Amino acid sequence: MKILSLPIRGYSSNCYLLISGAEAIIIDPSVSVDIIREKLTEENARPVGIILTHAHYDHMLTLEVARETFGCPLYVHSAEADAVGDPVRNVSGSLFGDPHAWKPAEQLLENGSVITLGDETIKVIHTPGHTPGCICLQCGKILVSGDTIFADGYGRYDLPGGDAQVLAQTLYRFADMDQDLVIYPGHGPAEKLGIALYNLGIG
């Protein structure tokens, strides 16, 4: 599995492409479709899906255009499904001053769901706390972590649906995972999971 981090735009939110063979999945479309298309062309890959690690405005700035342009389904955790169309839960209005309701996802995910990409698989790990339906995506040594855990911190829990106690429980669960996994967070640089946990005083 190959992961590409696309040039940051908007609210410094990371957008990634997961690529296996000739297929790609777009994760958290926050950059222009032109940038996404350019990278897909360079990799000779076609998008087969869009995944949201969570349904916050800054991680789906170009979601509508991407869905129309590439014609591929949107995947989101079932606990996050309503937030896609709810300007309060997706904080588009309260935090960013641009109330917006996106169309519902075509595919709902659960903890342990497996998505096939090319000849490889992506495992869905439910990691609530920042939002009820936050997920991480594990493929080999790659762990796309959204706003659950960063290289030197974690996502805020004071927004609608956030829960400090649940997030703490989620973060401590990472201590049981392979510490050599490389996290690719929703904001900031990639880092080994073990180092990120050490920075948080966990493990």
Side-chain angles (χ1 to χ4, degrees):
M1 190 78 68
K2 181 177 185 179
I3 186 167
L4 293 179
S5 178
L6 303 188
I8 292 174
R9 294 290 188 274
Y11 296 94
S12 299
S13 303
N14 292 326
C15 174
Y16 298 105
L17 293 179
L18 284 176
I19 301 173
S20 179
E23 294 185 347
I25 283 181
I26 303 163
I27 301 175
D28 291 349
S30 59
V31 302
S32 77
V33 167
D34 288 339
I35 291 174
I36 296 172
R37 184 191 291 112
E38 179 182 342
K39 289 298 180 183
L40 289 168
T41 300
E42 289 176 2
E43 297 294 326
N44 194 29
R46 63 180 181 87
V48 296
I50 300 170
I51 301 177
L52 296 180
T53 59
H54 62 295
H56 272 170
Y57 177 83
D58 54 328
H59 294 269
M60 46 185 184
L61 293 171
T62 58
L63 173 59
E64 285 182 346
V65 180
R67 290 172 87 173
E68 292 172 3
T69 300
F70 300 118
C72 47
L74 172 65
Y75 293 75
V76 66
H77 190 275
S78 61
E80 204 76 355
D82 291 345
V84 175
D86 184 343
V88 174
R89 285 192 56 195
N90 66 39
V91 300
S92 57
S94 60
L95 194 62
F96 294 98
D98 181 26
H100 201 89
W102 285 263
K103 291 181 285 189
E106 287 83 7
Q107 300 287 337
L108 298 183
L109 302 169
E110 303 294 342
N111 184 57
S113 292
V114 175
I115 301 166
T116 300
L117 182 65
D119 295 328
E120 301 176 87
T121 57
I122 301 166
K123 179 183 177 182
V124 176
I125 304 171
H126 185 209
T127 53
H130 177 59
T131 70
C134 266
I135 57 172
C136 292
L137 302 167
Q138 184 177 356
C139 30
K141 290 290 187 179
I142 294 169
L143 185 70
V144 182
S145 62
D147 280 8
T148 299
I149 185 170
F150 308 134
D152 58 356
Y154 48 83
R156 55 191 294 185
Y157 48 78
D158 59 338
L159 298 173
D163 189 309
Q165 183 175 357
V166 171
L167 179 58
Q169 292 170 350
T170 290
L171 292 172
Y172 275 95
R173 281 169 43 209
F174 285 121
D176 295 327
M177 298 176 66
D178 181 355
Q179 301 299 285
D180 287 329
L181 287 170
V182 178
I183 64 167
Y184 291 84
H187 301 275
E191 183 56 274
K192 281 192 174 183
L193 176 60
I195 294 175
L197 291 176
Y198 176 82
N199 291 337
L200 292 177
I202 298 174

